[in-house]
Amino acid sequence: MRWAAGAECRTLTTWAPVVAVAVLSQAGIGLESDWSGSDASLALTSALLAGPLLLRAARPVLTAALIGAALVVQVQLGGSLHFASFIAVLVASFATGRHAGGQRMTAGVLLLLVGVVLAVRDSLPESVEELVFPLFSVSAAAALGSVVRRQARQAAELHGLNEALVRERDAIDRLVVATERLRLARELHDVVAHTLTVAVVQAEACEAALDADLERAREAARQVQAAGRRGLADLRSLVRVLRDTDATTDEPGLDDLDTLAGVMASAGLEVTVERAGTFRGLSPELERELYRIVQEGLTNVVKHSSAAWVRILVRAHDSRVQLGIVDPGPAVESPVPSGGHGLAGMAERLAPFGGQVTAGPTSDGYRVHVSVPVHQEAPA
């Protein structure tokens, strides 16, 4: 509907000046003196004035030249100009400024003025001032057309910029969605890996204690159940966020490391958490990522080391947080399949915060070291 309305409007603006000039010219309205030619010559001059206006958008300079020539023909056939001549000159001049511009606009205006001068040349010796008004009118119409052309160009540029901004906004939205999906994928990986690792270790302990220590086997079975419940609760929380964009999860932080240590203790791994410094300026997002890194590190210890204990060192100093995960080893082959995203996932978590992670064997075991700036806003 909008396209049809626009097409009808363009058709009306194209034909309205043509019809107006043809009707006014044929009616002889505004003749300076009586028409001395025949009715056929009046019809001819009407056609010569109105016809070229159909070309004014596609061929503005040619239109100006034809209108200028039509003025000369009109004077030669009937000896007089009229109101329709004035309208045709103004329309052609405006079209030259609107659709040509620059040197082409100047050429079109000059062609029109030449036609006007030739048409009234016989009266120049008596009234030169008669040229002042045509000169002003033609120049003003061309200038107005030029202004309209510049505004149209600016509007087109603004429209293009607006479309570019819309595309950029859509790209940013897609990037935000992709980033959130990646974050949730890491969360799912860590929750599932941690839960299954603890469950597998407890199941192994349960199997080993069935014949020797029935109470210990029962306790191991209870820990498997507890680990499963915790994992299911975390998974439900993440799924709720996936289903409802307004939903939120309970974000773990550094204060939850002691609870995590208790969970790992139930799996037979003694975890000691040591803190030093004042933890200020840490965003909830950064605390969540540091917690997940510790969780991933402890999961890796259970899977890849025979260590009986782990030390978690958290220190805040010099506008940075230092995090260390140390175990005495030695390394063993894991009975639990690895997802292959442990250290890479840690680095991905720290990248938006400008943090770094290093890991490798030391003289007294294996160490994961994390360093990240604080006193900053959460990454977009």
Side-chain angles (χ1 to χ4, degrees), residues 24 65 98 107 320 325:
L24 292 174
R98 173 66 179 87
R320 299 188 75 84
I325 307 172

Side-chain angles (χ1 to χ4, degrees), residues 37-169:
S38 63
D39 292 341
S41 63
L42 181 60
L44 176 61
T45 57
S46 299
L48 292 176
L49 285 172
L53 296 180
L54 290 172
L55 304 174
R56 64 186 186 278
R59 297 288 188 270
V61 178
L62 176 60
T63 300
L66 291 176
I67 295 298
L71 296 177
V72 177
V73 172
Q74 182 180 7
V75 172
Q76 294 297 321
L77 293 179
S80 178
L81 299 179
H82 46 48
F83 184 59
S85 308
F86 177 68
I87 294 178
V89 169
L90 290 184
V91 172
S93 181
F94 176 85
T96 303
R98 173 66 179 87
H99 301 290
Q103 295 180 349
R104 296 175 62 223
M105 180 185 71
T106 303
V109 171
L110 289 177
L111 288 172
L112 276 173
L113 291 176
V114 168
V116 171
V117 171
L118 291 176
V120 299
R121 65 183 183 278
D122 293 338
S123 61
L124 283 180
E126 299 177 0
S127 55
V128 178
E129 64 275 5
E130 291 184 2
L131 285 177
V132 174
F133 182 71
L135 284 172
F136 174 79
S137 301
V138 170
S139 301
L144 180 60
S146 180
V147 170
V148 173
R149 180 175 55 85
R150 285 196 297 269
Q151 289 180 340
R153 184 175 65 246
Q154 291 173 355
E157 291 175 353
L158 289 175
H159 181 70
L161 289 175
N162 183 63
E163 290 185 340
L165 288 175
V166 170
R167 290 193 297 270
E168 183 177 353
R169 182 196 62 191

